[in-house]
Amino acid sequence: MKNPGNGPLRVVVVGGGAAGFFGAIVCAEANPGARVTVLEKGEGVLRKVLLSGGGRCNVTHACFEPRALVGHYPRGHRELLGAFQRFQPRDTMEWFESRGVELKTEEDGRVFPVSDRAGSIVDALLNAAQAAGVGVRTGAGPRAVERSEPSGFKLVLEGGESLHADRLLLATGSGRQGYAWARRLGHSLVPPVPSLFTFSISDKRLEGLAGVAVENALLYLEDTALSQSGPVLITHGGLSGPAVLKLSAWGARELSERGYVAKLRIHWAGGSTEEVQARFQEMRNIAGPKTVGGRSPLGIPQRLWERLVQSAGVGRERRWADLSMAERARLVGEITGGIFEMTGKGAFKEEFVTAGGVPLNEVNFKTMESRRSPHLFFAGEILDIDGVTGGFNFQSAWTTGWQAGRAMAKEP
């Protein structure tokens, strides 16, 4: 296909991450006559893909029902529903498998390459880009992006070189420069704040317990309607694990407004308070002579159990049969509703996700084209989209990149 009167259709993608690189490949494959170029300011492309999942790359999540899938996105769930009906995790898996990457689905639904090497995903993308004729330029970040007549774009690189594009895809992640270009081209901005982070907590009940994992806890952010359940990991600096990360994502903006100072109420045993009370009554009846500080009766790790018993003011050698009603009430309260003071946030491994970016109502989610600037497209984290941990952020990158790529490939 040709761009009438101007030779080949010129497509420039700014950002060599998952969304931009995938969008470039899809565009080049859909329009072999187009001249597609990826500009990456760093020295290499797909660096976040290579580092993700501890070097294994959690490429997507095995959730194949769009309505269920969007429930994992604190921001973007409404707009992504239609998008996931066009390109979803099953399509992502088929795309990589058709290019020689064998995938596996773990018990929790996360999808990884069988090789357990993120390099397998990166190699597939690089090979596909090369086969499709995508030009990749590293160390080539634009210093200026502006409109050019009649309906294109002019990009000035750091060295002074100018490029012209008929279609422009901004896939710059959470970088400030990408936000600045979006605003220059007519967009507003939802202020970005961190999502997916650990909770900094200094509490004697947690001291010396780093590495202790609770299989299923309930977390409540006090004075809000926010709560999450799932595994929790005690760390040297506080708390991490899937439940904490999910709560940080859903509470990203609320916690930012509070300066990451908040009260966290924890039910360490999951379930209900009534279930814990019933279990304690059962222990009184069937294990009366045994000590409370002995074996944990609720599936709570033993070291944490002993600490909670101590915090409730119950002697470790106290027998179940001798527990007073007041002691039982304190122990139930400690297990089902202990309050922990969050004093800040920590990082989650090498992953950095933000809530905020280009407002979603300013983008056509059938094509990812700007509603304010014709022939300008967006994909990935530059948009006000973020998912919880588990492969969901990569899936939104693949989906938005795919849609942008298909749309950019079409001639006027």
Side-chain angles (χ1 to χ4, degrees):
M1 294 183 185
K2 299 291 184 181
N3 187 28
N6 295 305
L9 182 69
R10 300 166 299 181
V11 178
V12 173
V13 177
V14 183
F21 212 81
F22 197 61
I25 294 169
V26 171
C27 180
E29 289 181 342
N31 185 345
R35 190 168 68 208
V36 182
T37 304
V38 174
L39 301 179
E40 167 57 44
K41 68 177 181 180
E43 294 306 310
V45 295
L46 302 168
R47 295 181 65 83
K48 194 170 181 178
V49 176
L50 198 59
L51 294 172
S52 68
R56 297 171 64 209
C57 187
N58 181 186
V59 66
T60 188
H61 199 98
C63 181
F64 306 126
E65 169 50 52
R67 289 192 180 278
L69 183 59
V70 296
H72 298 279
Y73 294 84
R75 282 147 292 272
H77 48 277
R78 184 179 297 108
E79 292 79 7
L80 285 171
L81 180 58
F84 285 149
Q85 290 171 347
R86 290 182 284 275
F87 193 90
Q88 55 129 301
R90 182 177 287 111
D91 301 300
T92 298
M93 295 174 71
E94 290 177 355
W95 193 93
F96 282 102
E97 288 174 335
S98 70
R99 286 158 175 80
V101 182
E102 192 176 356
L103 300 173
K104 61 180 178 180
T105 302
E106 301 195 340
E107 287 186 10
D108 59 3
R110 294 181 300 163
V111 177
F112 293 90
V114 169
S115 66
D116 279 329
R117 291 181 53 256
S120 299
I121 299 298
V122 170
D123 288 346
L125 290 166
L126 290 174
N127 290 338
Q130 184 177 26
V134 175
V136 179
R137 298 183 59 175
T138 57
R143 71 183 186 198
V145 177
E146 56 191 37
R147 299 284 331 188
S148 65
E149 295 300 332
S151 60
F153 303 87
K154 177 182 177 182
L155 299 91
V156 181
L157 305 189
E158 289 295 342
E161 178 186 355
S162 293
L163 293 180
H164 293 271
D166 304 301
R167 306 283 187 273
L168 175 64
L169 171 59
L170 291 182
T172 50
S174 57
R176 293 182 181 179
Q177 190 65 71
Y179 294 147
W181 292 328
R183 296 183 74 168
R184 183 177 178 85
L185 293 171
H187 285 270
S188 58
L189 182 69
V190 178
V193 298
S195 180
L196 288 187
F197 49 83
T198 61
F199 293 174
S200 298
I201 296 173
S202 179
D203 192 292
K204 288 184 178 181
R205 289 169 290 182
L206 305 181
E207 286 180 2
L209 298 183
V212 171
V214 178
E215 186 175 336
N216 186 36
L218 294 173
L219 307 181
Y220 303 86
L221 195 62
E222 290 287 270
D223 303 319
T224 76
L226 297 169
S227 65
Q228 285 293 333
S229 63
V232 170
L233 174 67
I234 300 174
T235 69
H236 289 288
L239 296 175
S240 185
V244 170
L245 295 170
K246 286 190 290 183
L247 188 56
S248 78
W250 287 98
R253 202 156 292 283
E254 177 87 33
L255 287 168
S256 174
E257 292 170 357
R258 296 180 178 208
Y260 304 101
V261 175
K263 294 182 185 296
L264 186 69
R265 178 161 49 92
I266 304 178
H267 187 325
W268 292 104
S272 68
T273 299
E274 290 73 23
E275 288 172 336
V276 174
Q277 291 171 329
R279 179 58 174 154
F280 283 0
Q281 182 60 48
E282 183 182 10
M283 291 299 293
R284 180 182 176 86
N285 295 336
I286 68 173
K290 295 185 177 180
T291 61
V292 177
R295 184 177 178 182
S296 167
L298 295 167
I300 297 173
Q302 184 63 28
R303 290 169 62 200
L304 175 60
W305 168 254
E306 292 175 4
R307 192 64 61 80
L308 296 174
V309 169
Q310 179 185 10
S311 180
V314 177
R316 189 183 186 284
E317 300 303 318
R318 187 80 161 149
R319 301 190 311 164
W320 283 103
D322 298 332
L323 273 186
S324 67
M325 291 184 62
E327 287 173 320
R328 273 197 292 172
R330 290 200 304 270
L331 187 53
V332 169
E334 190 64 58
I335 290 166
T336 65
I339 300 295
F340 293 79
E341 299 279 350
M342 177 183 174
T343 58
K345 63 176 179 62
F348 172 50
K349 298 181 180 179
E350 72 288 334
E351 297 188 28
F352 183 72
V353 176
T354 58
V358 174
L360 305 187
N361 62 0
E362 297 178 5
V363 178
N364 180 342
F365 262 74
K366 291 183 178 180
T367 62
M368 307 315 299
E369 185 173 10
S370 164
R371 295 185 185 276
R372 297 191 170 188
S373 186
H375 301 159
L376 171 65
F377 296 79
F378 297 100
E381 202 180 342
I382 189 173
L383 295 159
D384 185 20
I385 293 176
D386 62 291
V388 299
T389 185
F392 299 104
N393 286 295
F394 269 139
Q395 184 56 51
S396 63
W398 309 131
T399 294
T400 55
W402 183 86
Q403 292 202 137
R406 297 276 295 185
M408 291 189 299
K410 295 180 179 179
E411 300 287 347

